[in-house]
Amino acid sequence: MKPTILMVPQLPARFVERLKEDYQVFGPLGTAGPGALPLGAAEVRALLTIGTLTTDAALIDALPSLELICCYGTGFEGVDRVHAASRGIAIANAGSANADAVAEYAIGLMLATTRQIASGDRFVRAGSWKGNSVERMPMRAGLSGRRVGIYGLGAIGTRIARLAAGFSVQIGYHNRSARTDVPYLYHDSLIGLAEWADILVVAARAGASNYHAVDARVLAALGSEGHLVNISRGIAVDQDAVADALERGVIGGAALDVFEREPEVPARLKALPNIVLTPHIAANATSAQEAQQTTMLANLAAFFGGKPLVSEVR
């Protein structure tokens, strides 16, 4: 018989059809809670989810045969890892499958906020462009020669650094510890990185340990000409502090692809002219989605084949 797996979110239709070739697939649930479980859930051995959804002790314990929690993307912050470990349940994610796509998007957001791409679009659509001698947008510094600070130099952060280097920028970073395999300037605190940087890119894996790490103090350190870019997770940034900073000119601009309570985006942020907002689509590239699906299939095949997971979360 095919192993039974449970899909919490609605995954792409073609991918679900591929899963059904090898597995009995239940779901989607609609809500990640034990009350939504279908008949037969007691046989579920693998749970497919995404990091932004809650996989807590109640859901885990409602699945007595559960052996694997497999996250479609790279995030796993919603999984109660301690409780899963107490049950002997393995956790896997997509590893670095979407790193190239997310890094590309981060560069796009850097350009969008620093070079006024989104506001320029609005300017034209509003009919405000009257010719260079009458109406023109304010001058802004380009990227060349500026300082890009990357908070989190993992798989995605490293790719952002490599791409940013093509714009002749200086690159610094803050990690839990310095890396010896990169030429970039290490800062031992996030505040220190923000003070040094003109553009602060949040690429750290977000969780309870760095909740609201980018707060009012960090934004003040970034300064009035500084720009914030977040392609990590919304919980890493204090959204109220960002709104305050943009309203008061504490920072020059921001570009956010992720938010704390998605799909909710605070009205204060929507009202601001100096911010770019996108709906968590940094990984929405065909190449990234195919790579994530390939990795999930490989993790499932390895697990049910008694082999080591391809990208286990430890």
Side-chain angles (χ1 to χ4, degrees):
M1 292 182 62
K2 296 179 180 179
T4 302
I5 64 178
L6 173 62
M7 173 177 64
V8 178
Q10 177 61 66
L11 296 176
R14 289 186 179 179
F15 180 53
V16 175
E17 290 305 310
R18 174 64 185 85
L19 287 168
K20 288 180 178 177
E21 293 176 11
D22 298 315
Y23 307 100
Q24 181 180 5
V25 181
F26 289 160
L29 290 188
T31 179
L37 293 176
L39 292 174
E43 306 302 319
V44 168
R45 297 177 61 193
L47 178 74
L48 312 186
T49 189
I50 55 178
T52 52
L53 295 179
T54 298
T55 305
D56 58 13
L59 178 57
I60 291 170
D61 286 344
L63 300 168
S65 300
L66 187 64
E67 301 172 79
L68 172 67
I69 297 170
C70 200
C71 295
Y72 182 74
T74 58
F76 48 82
E77 69 276 15
V79 178
D80 187 335
R81 296 169 61 195
V82 173
H83 192 70
S86 74
R87 283 266 312 269
I89 296 168
I91 302 171
N93 70 346
S96 61
N98 65 17
D100 286 332
V102 176
E104 291 171 1
Y105 199 82
I107 297 297
L109 290 181
M110 285 172 52
L111 289 167
T113 181
T114 61
R115 298 303 309 274
Q116 306 177 91
I117 293 174
S119 55
D121 176 82
R122 293 192 296 270
F123 187 81
V124 171
R125 291 175 188 273
S128 300
W129 189 22
K130 307 299 183 182
N132 289 342
S133 63
V134 180
E135 292 277 352
R136 62 188 307 175
M137 297 187 69
M139 292 291 180
R140 291 287 186 267
L143 288 183
S144 181
R146 302 188 83 188
R147 294 175 172 180
V148 175
I150 302 173
Y151 172 35
L153 202 68
I156 293 172
T158 299
R159 286 165 171 79
I160 293 171
R162 291 172 184 166
L163 292 175
F167 291 89
S168 300
V169 300
Q170 300 176 60
I171 298 170
Y173 71 100
H174 170 64
N175 258 3
R176 284 173 293 184
S177 59
R179 287 177 50 176
T180 59
D181 59 335
V182 296
Y184 314 125
L185 180 63
Y186 174 68
H187 295 263
D188 61 8
S189 71
L190 181 53
I191 284 280
L193 178 67
E195 288 175 342
W196 174 87
D198 298 305
I199 302 157
L200 179 62
V201 183
V202 182
R205 186 174 298 286
S209 63
N210 58 359
Y211 174 77
H212 284 187
V214 179
D215 57 13
R217 292 173 59 246
V218 171
L219 295 171
L222 185 57
S224 61
E225 298 298 317
H227 290 260
L228 172 71
V229 173
N230 188 10
I231 46 75
S232 170
R233 284 291 189 265
I235 61 173
V237 172
D238 183 338
Q239 293 177 166
D240 288 335
V242 172
D244 287 341
L246 290 170
E247 289 168 352
R248 297 189 292 111
V250 173
I251 62 174
L256 309 179
D257 184 51
V258 289
F259 304 90
E260 190 164 347
R261 298 177 187 86
E262 296 177 356
E264 176 188 330
V265 178
R268 288 178 70 193
L269 293 180
K270 291 180 182 179
L272 291 165
N274 50 351
I275 190 169
V276 179
L277 307 169
T278 60
H280 201 153
I281 56 173
N284 278 22
T286 303
S287 58
Q289 294 302 302
E290 290 177 347
Q292 288 180 197
Q293 292 167 18
T294 298
T295 303
M296 178 170 273
L297 288 170
N299 275 316
L300 289 169
F303 184 80
F304 288 115
K307 298 178 181 179
L309 292 170
V310 173
S311 50
E312 184 171 6
V313 174
R314 297 183 182 278

